[in-house]
Coordinates of all heavy atoms in Angstrom, one line a residue:
M1376 N 11.6 -32.9 -33.8 CA 11.8 -34.3 -34.3 C 10.4 -35.1 -34.4 O 9.6 -35.0 -33.6 CB 12.8 -35.1 -33.3 CG 14.2 -34.4 -33.3 SD 15.3 -35.5 -34.2 CE 15.5 -36.9 -33.2
E1377 N 10.4 -35.7 -35.4 CA 9.2 -36.5 -35.7 C 9.5 -38.0 -36.2 O 10.5 -37.9 -37.0 CB 8.3 -35.7 -36.7 CG 7.0 -36.2 -36.9 CD 6.2 -35.5 -38.0 OE1 6.8 -34.5 -38.5 OE2 5.1 -35.9 -38.3
S1378 N 8.8 -38.9 -35.8 CA 9.2 -40.2 -36.4 C 8.2 -40.5 -37.7 O 7.1 -40.2 -37.6 CB 8.8 -41.3 -35.4 OG 7.6 -41.4 -35.1
V1379 N 8.9 -40.7 -38.7 CA 8.3 -40.9 -40.0 C 8.7 -42.2 -40.6 O 9.9 -42.8 -40.4 CB 8.6 -39.8 -41.1 CG1 8.2 -38.5 -40.5 CG2 10.0 -39.8 -41.4
C1380 N 7.8 -42.9 -41.4 CA 8.1 -44.0 -42.1 C 9.0 -43.6 -43.4 O 8.5 -42.9 -44.2 CB 6.8 -44.7 -42.5 SG 7.1 -46.1 -43.6
P1381 N 10.2 -44.2 -43.6 CA 10.9 -43.8 -44.7 C 10.4 -44.3 -46.0 O 10.6 -43.7 -47.1 CB 12.3 -44.6 -44.4 CG 11.9 -45.8 -43.5 CD 10.9 -45.2 -42.6
V1382 N 9.5 -45.4 -46.0 CA 9.0 -46.0 -47.1 C 7.8 -45.0 -47.6 O 7.7 -44.6 -48.9 CB 8.5 -47.4 -47.0 CG1 7.9 -47.9 -48.3 CG2 9.7 -48.3 -46.6
C1383 N 7.0 -44.6 -46.7 CA 5.8 -43.7 -46.9 C 6.3 -42.4 -47.5 O 5.6 -41.7 -48.2 CB 5.0 -43.5 -45.7 SG 4.0 -44.9 -45.2
N1384 N 7.5 -42.0 -47.0 CA 8.0 -40.7 -47.4 C 9.0 -40.8 -48.5 O 9.7 -39.8 -48.8 CB 8.6 -39.9 -46.2 CG 7.5 -39.7 -45.2 OD1 6.9 -38.6 -45.3 ND2 7.2 -40.4 -44.3
C1385 N 9.1 -42.0 -49.2 CA 9.9 -42.0 -50.4 C 11.4 -41.8 -50.1 O 12.1 -41.3 -50.9 CB 9.5 -41.2 -51.5 SG 7.8 -41.4 -52.1
L1386 N 11.7 -42.1 -48.9 CA 13.2 -42.0 -48.5 C 13.9 -43.3 -48.7 O 15.2 -43.3 -48.8 CB 13.3 -41.6 -47.0 CG 12.7 -40.2 -46.6 CD1 12.6 -40.0 -45.1 CD2 13.4 -39.1 -47.3
A1387 N 13.2 -44.4 -48.8 CA 13.8 -45.6 -48.9 C 12.8 -46.6 -49.6 O 11.6 -46.3 -49.4 CB 14.2 -46.2 -47.6
S1388 N 13.2 -47.6 -50.3 CA 12.3 -48.5 -50.8 C 12.6 -49.9 -50.1 O 13.7 -50.1 -49.7 CB 12.4 -48.7 -52.3 OG 13.8 -49.0 -52.6
Y1389 N 11.7 -50.6 -50.0 CA 11.7 -51.8 -49.3 C 11.4 -53.0 -50.1 O 10.3 -53.0 -50.8 CB 10.8 -51.8 -48.0 CG 11.1 -52.7 -46.9 CD1 12.0 -52.2 -45.9 CD2 10.6 -54.0 -46.8 CE1 12.4 -53.1 -44.9 CE2 10.9 -54.8 -45.8 CZ 11.8 -54.4 -44.7 OH 12.2 -55.2 -43.8
I1390 N 12.3 -53.9 -50.4 CA 12.2 -54.9 -51.3 C 11.8 -56.3 -50.5 O 12.5 -56.7 -49.7 CB 13.3 -55.3 -52.2 CG1 13.8 -53.9 -52.9 CG2 13.1 -56.5 -53.2 CD1 12.9 -53.5 -54.0
V1391 N 10.6 -56.9 -50.8 CA 10.2 -58.0 -50.1 C 10.0 -59.1 -51.3 O 9.3 -58.8 -52.2 CB 8.9 -57.8 -49.4 CG1 8.4 -59.1 -48.7 CG2 9.0 -56.7 -48.3
K1392 N 10.6 -60.2 -51.0 CA 10.4 -61.3 -52.0 C 9.4 -62.3 -51.5 O 9.4 -62.6 -50.3 CB 11.7 -61.9 -52.3 CG 12.6 -61.1 -53.2 CD 13.8 -61.7 -53.8 CE 14.5 -60.8 -54.7 NZ 15.8 -61.5 -55.2
C1393 N 8.6 -62.8 -52.4 CA 7.5 -63.8 -52.1 C 8.2 -65.1 -51.6 O 9.1 -65.6 -52.1 CB 6.8 -63.9 -53.4 SG 5.5 -65.3 -53.2
H1394 N 7.7 -65.6 -50.5 CA 8.2 -66.8 -49.9 C 7.9 -67.9 -50.9 O 8.8 -68.8 -50.9 CB 7.4 -67.2 -48.7 CG 7.4 -66.1 -47.6 ND1 8.6 -66.1 -46.8 CD2 6.7 -65.2 -47.2 CE1 8.5 -65.1 -45.9 NE2 7.3 -64.5 -46.1
S1395 N 6.9 -67.9 -51.7 CA 6.7 -69.0 -52.6 C 7.4 -69.0 -53.8 O 7.9 -70.0 -54.3 CB 5.2 -69.0 -52.7 OG 4.8 -70.0 -53.7
C1396 N 7.3 -67.9 -54.6 CA 7.8 -67.9 -56.0 C 9.1 -66.9 -56.1 O 9.7 -67.0 -57.2 CB 6.7 -67.4 -56.9 SG 6.4 -65.7 -56.9
G1397 N 9.4 -66.2 -55.1 CA 10.6 -65.4 -55.3 C 10.4 -64.1 -55.9 O 11.3 -63.2 -56.1
N1398 N 9.2 -63.8 -56.5 CA 8.9 -62.6 -57.1 C 8.9 -61.4 -56.1 O 8.6 -61.7 -54.9 CB 7.4 -62.7 -57.7 CG 7.0 -61.5 -58.4 OD1 7.6 -60.9 -59.1 ND2 5.7 -61.1 -58.1
V1399 N 9.3 -60.3 -56.7 CA 9.4 -59.1 -55.7 C 7.9 -58.6 -55.6 O 7.2 -58.3 -56.5 CB 10.2 -57.9 -56.4 CG1 10.2 -56.6 -55.6 CG2 11.7 -58.4 -56.6
M1400 N 7.6 -58.6 -54.3 CA 6.2 -58.3 -53.9 C 6.0 -56.7 -54.1 O 6.8 -56.0 -53.7 CB 5.8 -58.8 -52.5 CG 5.9 -60.2 -52.4 SD 5.8 -60.9 -50.7 CE 3.9 -60.9 -50.5
K1401 N 4.7 -56.4 -54.4 CA 4.4 -55.0 -54.5 C 3.9 -54.4 -53.2 O 3.2 -55.0 -52.5 CB 3.2 -55.0 -55.6 CG 3.3 -53.7 -56.5 CD 2.1 -53.9 -57.5 CE 2.0 -52.4 -58.1 NZ 0.8 -52.3 -59.0
D1402 N 4.4 -53.1 -52.9 CA 4.0 -52.5 -51.7 C 2.6 -52.0 -52.0 O 2.5 -51.0 -52.9 CB 5.0 -51.3 -51.5 CG 4.7 -50.7 -50.1 OD1 3.7 -51.0 -49.5 OD2 5.5 -49.8 -49.8
Y1403 N 1.6 -52.4 -51.3 CA 0.2 -51.9 -51.4 C 0.0 -50.9 -50.4 O -1.2 -50.5 -50.2 CB -0.8 -53.1 -51.3 CG -1.1 -53.8 -52.6 CD1 -0.2 -53.9 -53.6 CD2 -2.3 -54.1 -52.8 CE1 -0.5 -54.5 -54.8 CE2 -2.8 -54.7 -54.0 CZ -1.9 -54.8 -55.0 OH -2.2 -55.4 -56.2
G1404 N 1.1 -50.4 -49.7 CA 0.9 -49.2 -48.9 C 0.5 -49.7 -47.4 O 0.8 -50.7 -47.0
V1405 N 0.1 -48.6 -46.7 CA 0.0 -48.8 -45.3 C -1.3 -49.5 -44.9 O -2.4 -49.2 -45.5 CB 0.1 -47.4 -44.6 CG1 -0.1 -47.5 -43.1 CG2 1.4 -46.6 -45.0
I1406 N -1.3 -50.3 -43.9 CA -2.5 -51.1 -43.4 C -3.6 -50.1 -43.0 O -4.8 -50.5 -43.3 CB -2.0 -52.1 -42.3 CG1 -3.1 -53.1 -42.2 CG2 -1.7 -51.3 -41.0 CD1 -2.8 -54.4 -42.9
Q1407 N -3.4 -48.9 -42.6 CA -4.4 -48.2 -42.1 C -5.4 -47.8 -43.1 O -6.5 -47.5 -43.1 CB -3.8 -46.8 -41.5 CG -3.3 -46.9 -40.1 CD -1.9 -47.5 -40.0 OE1 -1.3 -47.5 -41.1 NE2 -1.5 -47.8 -38.8
D1408 N -4.8 -47.8 -44.4 CA -5.7 -47.5 -45.6 C -6.9 -48.4 -45.7 O -7.9 -48.1 -46.1 CB -4.8 -47.5 -46.9 CG -3.8 -46.5 -46.9 OD1 -3.9 -45.5 -46.1 OD2 -3.0 -46.5 -47.7
Y1409 N -6.6 -49.6 -45.2 CA -7.7 -50.8 -45.3 C -8.6 -50.5 -44.2 O -9.8 -50.8 -44.4 CB -7.0 -52.1 -45.2 CG -6.1 -52.5 -46.5 CD1 -4.9 -51.9 -46.4 CD2 -6.6 -53.1 -47.5 CE1 -4.0 -52.3 -47.7 CE2 -5.9 -53.4 -48.7 CZ -4.6 -53.0 -48.7 OH -3.8 -53.3 -49.7
F1410 N -8.1 -50.2 -43.0 CA -9.0 -50.0 -41.9 C -9.9 -48.8 -42.1 O -11.1 -48.7 -41.6 CB -8.1 -49.8 -40.6 CG -7.7 -51.0 -40.0 CD1 -6.3 -51.2 -39.8 CD2 -8.5 -52.0 -39.6 CE1 -5.8 -52.4 -39.3 CE2 -8.0 -53.2 -38.9 CZ -6.6 -53.4 -38.9
D1411 N -9.5 -47.7 -42.8 CA -10.1 -46.5 -43.0 C -11.6 -46.8 -43.4 O -12.5 -46.0 -43.0 CB -9.4 -45.6 -43.8 CG -8.4 -44.8 -43.2 OD1 -8.2 -44.9 -42.0 OD2 -7.6 -44.2 -43.8
D1412 N -11.8 -47.7 -44.3 CA -13.2 -47.9 -44.8 C -14.3 -48.3 -43.7 O -15.3 -47.8 -43.9 CB -13.2 -49.2 -45.8 CG -12.4 -48.7 -47.0 OD1 -12.2 -47.5 -47.3 OD2 -12.1 -49.7 -47.8
Y1413 N -13.9 -48.9 -42.7 CA -14.8 -49.3 -41.7 C -14.5 -49.0 -40.4 O -15.2 -49.3 -39.4 CB -15.2 -50.9 -41.9 CG -13.9 -51.7 -41.8 CD1 -13.4 -52.3 -40.5 CD2 -13.2 -52.1 -42.8 CE1 -12.3 -53.0 -40.5 CE2 -12.1 -52.9 -42.8 CZ -11.7 -53.4 -41.5 OH -10.5 -54.3 -41.6
S1414 N -13.5 -48.1 -40.1 CA -13.2 -47.7 -38.8 C -12.9 -46.1 -38.9 O -11.8 -45.8 -38.4 CB -12.1 -48.5 -38.1 OG -10.9 -48.4 -38.8
P1415 N -13.7 -45.4 -39.4 CA -13.4 -44.0 -39.6 C -13.3 -43.1 -38.3 O -12.7 -42.1 -38.4 CB -14.6 -43.4 -40.3 CG -15.8 -44.4 -40.0 CD -15.2 -45.7 -39.8
Y1416 N -13.8 -43.7 -37.2 CA -13.7 -43.0 -35.9 C -12.5 -43.3 -35.1 O -12.2 -42.6 -34.1 CB -14.9 -43.2 -35.1 CG -16.2 -42.9 -35.9 CD1 -17.0 -43.8 -36.4 CD2 -16.5 -41.5 -36.2 CE1 -18.2 -43.5 -37.1 CE2 -17.5 -41.1 -36.9 CZ -18.4 -42.1 -37.4 OH -19.5 -41.9 -38.2
L1417 N -11.8 -44.3 -35.5 CA -10.6 -44.7 -34.7 C -9.3 -43.7 -35.2 O -9.2 -43.5 -36.3 CB -10.1 -46.1 -35.2 CG -11.1 -47.2 -34.5 CD1 -10.5 -48.5 -34.9 CD2 -11.2 -47.1 -33.0
D1418 N -8.7 -43.2 -34.2 CA -7.5 -42.4 -34.6 C -6.3 -43.4 -34.9 O -6.3 -44.6 -34.7 CB -7.2 -41.5 -33.5 CG -6.6 -42.1 -32.2 OD1 -5.8 -43.0 -32.4 OD2 -6.8 -41.4 -31.2
R1419 N -5.3 -42.8 -35.4 CA -4.2 -43.6 -35.9 C -3.6 -44.5 -34.9 O -3.3 -45.6 -35.2 CB -3.1 -42.6 -36.5 CG -2.2 -43.3 -37.5 CD -1.3 -42.2 -38.0 NE -0.1 -42.6 -38.9 CZ -0.2 -43.2 -40.2 NH1 -1.3 -43.0 -40.8 NH2 0.9 -43.7 -40.6
D1420 N -3.4 -44.0 -33.8 CA -2.7 -44.7 -32.7 C -3.5 -46.0 -32.4 O -2.9 -47.1 -32.2 CB -2.4 -43.9 -31.4 CG -1.4 -42.9 -31.6 OD1 -0.5 -43.1 -32.5 OD2 -1.3 -41.9 -30.9
I1421 N -4.8 -45.9 -32.3 CA -5.7 -46.9 -31.9 C -5.6 -48.0 -33.0 O -5.5 -49.2 -32.8 CB -7.1 -46.5 -31.5 CG1 -7.1 -45.7 -30.3 CG2 -8.0 -47.7 -31.4 CD1 -8.5 -45.0 -30.1
T1422 N -5.8 -47.6 -34.2 CA -5.7 -48.4 -35.4 C -4.3 -49.3 -35.4 O -4.4 -50.5 -35.6 CB -5.7 -47.7 -36.7 OG1 -6.9 -46.9 -36.6 CG2 -5.9 -48.6 -37.8
E1423 N -3.3 -48.5 -35.1 CA -2.0 -49.3 -35.1 C -1.9 -50.2 -33.9 O -1.4 -51.4 -34.1 CB -0.8 -48.2 -34.9 CG -0.6 -47.5 -36.2 CD 0.5 -46.4 -36.0 OE1 1.1 -46.2 -34.9 OE2 1.0 -45.9 -37.1
R1424 N -2.5 -49.9 -32.8 CA -2.4 -51.0 -31.7 C -3.3 -52.2 -32.1 O -3.0 -53.3 -31.7 CB -3.0 -50.4 -30.4 CG -1.8 -50.0 -29.6 CD -2.4 -49.3 -28.2 NE -2.2 -47.9 -28.3 CZ -3.2 -47.0 -27.9 NH1 -4.4 -47.4 -27.5 NH2 -3.0 -45.7 -28.0
L1425 N -4.4 -52.0 -32.7 CA -5.3 -53.1 -33.1 C -4.5 -53.9 -34.1 O -4.6 -55.2 -34.0 CB -6.5 -52.5 -33.9 CG -7.7 -52.1 -33.1 CD1 -8.7 -51.5 -33.9 CD2 -8.1 -53.1 -32.2
D1426 N -3.7 -53.5 -34.8 CA -3.0 -54.3 -35.8 C -1.7 -55.0 -35.3 O -1.1 -55.7 -36.0 CB -2.6 -53.4 -37.0 CG -2.2 -54.4 -38.2 OD1 -3.0 -55.1 -38.6 OD2 -1.1 -54.2 -38.6
G1427 N -1.3 -54.5 -34.0 CA -0.1 -55.1 -33.4 C 1.1 -54.4 -33.7 O 2.2 -54.8 -33.2
A1428 N 1.1 -53.3 -34.5 CA 2.2 -52.6 -34.8 C 2.6 -51.6 -33.7 O 1.5 -51.2 -33.1 CB 2.2 -51.9 -36.1
T1429 N 3.7 -51.3 -33.3 CA 4.0 -50.3 -32.3 C 4.1 -48.9 -32.9 O 3.9 -48.8 -34.2 CB 5.3 -50.6 -31.7 OG1 6.4 -50.3 -32.6 CG2 5.4 -52.0 -31.2
R1430 N 4.2 -48.0 -32.1 CA 4.2 -46.6 -32.6 C 5.4 -46.3 -33.5 O 5.5 -45.4 -34.2 CB 4.1 -45.6 -31.5 CG 2.8 -45.6 -30.7 CD 2.8 -44.6 -29.6 NE 2.7 -43.2 -30.1 CZ 1.9 -42.4 -29.8 NH1 1.1 -42.6 -28.7 NH2 1.8 -41.1 -30.3
N1431 N 6.4 -47.1 -33.2 CA 7.6 -47.0 -33.9 C 7.7 -47.7 -35.3 O 8.7 -47.8 -36.0 CB 8.8 -47.5 -33.0 CG 9.0 -46.5 -31.9 OD1 8.7 -45.4 -31.9 ND2 9.4 -47.1 -30.8
E1432 N 6.6 -48.4 -35.6 CA 6.6 -49.1 -36.9 C 5.4 -48.7 -37.7 O 4.3 -48.4 -37.1 CB 6.4 -50.7 -36.6 CG 7.7 -51.2 -35.9 CD 7.4 -52.7 -35.4 OE1 6.2 -53.1 -35.2 OE2 8.5 -53.3 -35.3
C1433 N 5.6 -48.9 -39.0 CA 4.5 -48.5 -40.0 C 4.3 -49.8 -40.7 O 5.2 -50.4 -41.3 CB 5.0 -47.5 -40.9 SG 3.8 -46.9 -42.2
M1434 N 3.1 -50.3 -40.6 CA 2.7 -51.6 -41.1 C 2.3 -51.5 -42.6 O 1.3 -50.9 -42.8 CB 1.5 -52.2 -40.2 CG 1.3 -53.7 -40.5 SD 2.6 -54.8 -40.1 CE 2.3 -55.0 -38.3
H1435 N 3.2 -52.1 -43.4 CA 2.8 -52.1 -44.9 C 2.3 -53.5 -45.3 O 2.6 -54.6 -44.7 CB 4.1 -51.8 -45.6 CG 4.3 -50.3 -45.7 ND1 4.4 -49.5 -46.8 CD2 4.8 -49.5 -44.6 CE1 4.7 -48.2 -46.5 NE2 5.0 -48.3 -45.1
V1436 N 1.7 -53.5 -46.4 CA 1.1 -54.7 -47.0 C 1.8 -54.9 -48.2 O 1.8 -53.9 -49.1 CB -0.5 -54.6 -47.3 CG1 -0.9 -55.9 -47.9 CG2 -1.1 -54.5 -46.0
F1437 N 2.4 -56.0 -48.4 CA 3.1 -56.4 -49.7 C 2.3 -57.5 -50.3 O 1.8 -58.4 -49.6 CB 4.6 -56.7 -49.4 CG 5.5 -55.5 -49.1 CD1 5.5 -55.0 -47.9 CD2 6.2 -55.0 -50.1 CE1 6.3 -53.9 -47.4 CE2 7.0 -53.8 -49.8 CZ 7.0 -53.4 -48.5
F1438 N 2.3 -57.5 -51.7 CA 1.4 -58.4 -52.3 C 2.1 -59.0 -53.5 O 2.7 -58.3 -54.3 CB 0.1 -57.6 -52.8 CG -1.0 -58.5 -53.4 CD1 -1.7 -59.3 -52.5 CD2 -1.1 -58.6 -54.8 CE1 -2.7 -60.1 -53.1 CE2 -2.1 -59.3 -55.4 CZ -2.9 -60.2 -54.6
C1439 N 2.0 -60.3 -53.6 CA 2.6 -61.0 -54.7 C 1.5 -61.2 -55.9 O 0.5 -62.0 -55.6 CB 3.2 -62.4 -54.4 SG 3.8 -63.3 -55.8
E1440 N 1.7 -60.6 -56.9 CA 0.6 -60.7 -58.0 C 0.5 -62.1 -58.7 O -0.4 -62.4 -59.4 CB 0.8 -59.5 -59.0 CG 0.4 -58.3 -58.3 CD 0.9 -57.0 -59.2 OE1 1.8 -57.2 -60.0 OE2 0.0 -56.0 -59.1
I1441 N 1.6 -62.9 -58.5 CA 1.8 -64.2 -59.0 C 0.9 -65.1 -58.2 O 0.1 -65.9 -58.7 CB 3.2 -64.6 -59.4 CG1 3.8 -63.6 -60.3 CG2 3.2 -66.0 -59.8 CD1 5.3 -63.8 -60.5
C1442 N 1.1 -65.1 -56.9 CA 0.6 -66.1 -56.0 C -0.7 -65.6 -55.3 O -1.3 -66.4 -54.5 CB 1.6 -66.5 -54.9 SG 3.0 -67.1 -55.5
N1443 N -1.0 -64.3 -55.5 CA -2.1 -63.7 -54.7 C -1.9 -63.8 -53.2 O -2.7 -64.1 -52.4 CB -3.4 -64.3 -55.1 CG -3.9 -63.8 -56.5 OD1 -3.6 -62.7 -56.9 ND2 -4.4 -64.8 -57.2
W1444 N -0.7 -63.7 -52.9 CA -0.2 -63.8 -51.4 C 0.2 -62.5 -50.9 O 0.8 -61.7 -51.5 CB 1.0 -64.8 -51.4 CG 1.9 -64.7 -50.2 CD1 2.9 -64.0 -49.8 CD2 1.6 -65.5 -49.0 NE1 3.4 -64.2 -48.6 CE2 2.6 -65.2 -48.1 CE3 0.7 -66.5 -48.6 CZ2 2.6 -65.8 -46.8 CZ3 0.7 -67.1 -47.4 CH2 1.7 -66.8 -46.5
D1445 N -0.4 -62.2 -49.7 CA 0.0 -60.8 -49.1 C 0.7 -61.0 -47.9 O 0.4 -62.1 -47.1 CB -1.2 -59.8 -49.1 CG -2.2 -60.5 -48.2 OD1 -2.2 -60.3 -47.0 OD2 -3.2 -61.0 -48.6
S1446 N 1.5 -60.1 -47.5 CA 2.3 -60.3 -46.2 C 2.3 -58.9 -45.6 O 2.5 -57.8 -46.2 CB 3.6 -60.7 -46.6 OG 4.5 -60.9 -45.5
R1447 N 2.3 -58.9 -44.3 CA 2.3 -57.6 -43.6 C 3.8 -57.3 -43.1 O 4.3 -58.3 -42.3 CB 1.4 -57.6 -42.4 CG -0.1 -57.6 -42.8 CD -1.0 -57.7 -41.6 NE -2.3 -57.7 -42.1 CZ -3.4 -57.6 -41.3 NH1 -3.3 -57.4 -40.0 NH2 -4.6 -57.7 -41.8
I1448 N 4.3 -56.3 -43.4 CA 5.7 -56.1 -43.0 C 5.8 -54.8 -42.2 O 5.4 -53.7 -42.7 CB 6.7 -55.9 -44.3 CG1 6.5 -57.1 -45.2 CG2 8.1 -55.7 -43.8 CD1 7.1 -58.4 -44.7
P1449 N 6.3 -54.9 -41.0 CA 6.4 -53.6 -40.2 C 7.8 -52.9 -40.6 O 8.8 -53.5 -40.7 CB 6.5 -54.1 -38.7 CG 6.9 -55.5 -38.8 CD 6.6 -56.0 -40.2
I1450 N 7.5 -51.7 -40.9 CA 8.8 -50.7 -41.3 C 9.0 -49.9 -40.2 O 8.3 -49.2 -39.6 CB 8.4 -49.9 -42.5 CG1 7.8 -50.7 -43.7 CG2 9.7 -49.1 -43.0 CD1 8.7 -51.6 -44.4
N1451 N 10.4 -50.0 -39.7 CA 10.7 -49.2 -38.6 C 10.7 -47.6 -39.0 O 11.3 -47.3 -40.0 CB 12.2 -49.4 -38.1 CG 12.1 -50.8 -37.4 OD1 11.1 -51.1 -36.6 ND2 13.2 -51.6 -37.6
R1452 N 10.1 -46.8 -38.1 CA 10.1 -45.3 -38.4 C 11.6 -44.8 -38.0 O 12.2 -45.3 -37.2 CB 9.0 -44.7 -37.6 CG 7.6 -45.0 -38.0 CD 6.6 -44.2 -37.1 NE 5.3 -44.8 -36.9 CZ 4.4 -44.6 -37.9 NH1 4.6 -43.9 -38.9 NH2 3.2 -45.2 -37.6
I1453 N 11.8 -43.7 -38.7 CA 13.1 -43.0 -38.3 C 12.8 -41.7 -37.9 O 11.7 -41.0 -38.3 CB 14.1 -43.0 -39.6 CG1 13.3 -42.2 -40.8 CG2 14.5 -44.4 -40.0 CD1 14.3 -42.0 -41.9
M1454 N 13.7 -41.1 -37.0 CA 13.5 -39.7 -36.6 C 14.0 -38.8 -37.6 O 15.1 -38.8 -38.0 CB 14.3 -39.7 -35.3 CG 13.8 -40.5 -34.1 SD 12.0 -40.3 -33.8 CE 12.0 -38.8 -32.8
M1455 N 13.2 -37.7 -37.9 CA 13.5 -36.7 -38.8 C 13.6 -35.4 -38.1 O 12.8 -35.0 -37.3 CB 12.5 -36.6 -39.8 CG 12.4 -37.8 -40.8 SD 13.7 -37.7 -42.1 CE 13.1 -36.5 -43.1
Ligands
LIG2523 ZN1 5.0 -46.6 -44.1
LIG2524 ZN1 4.6 -65.3 -55.3

């Protein structure tokens, strides 16, 4: 058994609407992708703790292309 993010693994899609305009926000992926540029020596668990997400959550960034507004949404991992 392994905990996986259903969104990262294409098992589910997550629709987030912009608070401001109601546009469906685009999933820009996992927050770790952004950390990777400047924290190459941190392992995944440490990076997740820095961001405030627990091991059971996968932190995604959703972005509204109309408002240039981004939002971090924790996705609950599921056991596979
Ligand atoms: Zn994910
Ligand atoms: Zn918007």
Side-chain angles (χ1 to χ4, degrees):
M1376 292 263 280
E1377 190 189 353
S1378 67
V1379 297
C1380 170
V1382 177
C1383 289
N1384 289 275
C1385 300
L1386 300 170
S1388 58
Y1389 204 84
I1390 304 294
V1391 178
K1392 289 198 173 171
C1393 174
H1394 295 284
S1395 174
C1396 72
N1398 180 45
V1399 175
M1400 297 172 84
K1401 214 174 164 184
D1402 184 356
Y1403 265 40
V1405 182
I1406 193 95
Q1407 280 84 10
D1408 293 346
Y1409 295 84
F1410 280 119
D1411 279 350
D1412 288 343
Y1413 52 92
S1414 60
Y1416 303 109
L1417 293 178
D1418 70 33
R1419 198 176 168 84
D1420 285 340
I1421 292 172
T1422 308
E1423 282 179 355
R1424 260 181 257 133
L1425 279 176
D1426 193 58
T1429 70
R1430 297 181 70 133
N1431 296 324
E1432 292 173 338
C1433 180
M1434 191 67 83
H1435 281 245
V1436 176
F1437 287 84
F1438 187 76
C1439 175
E1440 291 174 325
I1441 294 171
C1442 306
N1443 289 323
W1444 163 268
D1445 63 81
S1446 184
R1447 295 175 182 191
I1448 307 289
I1450 310 291
N1451 287 323
R1452 295 184 203 274
I1453 56 171
M1454 297 304 283
M1455 291 281 288

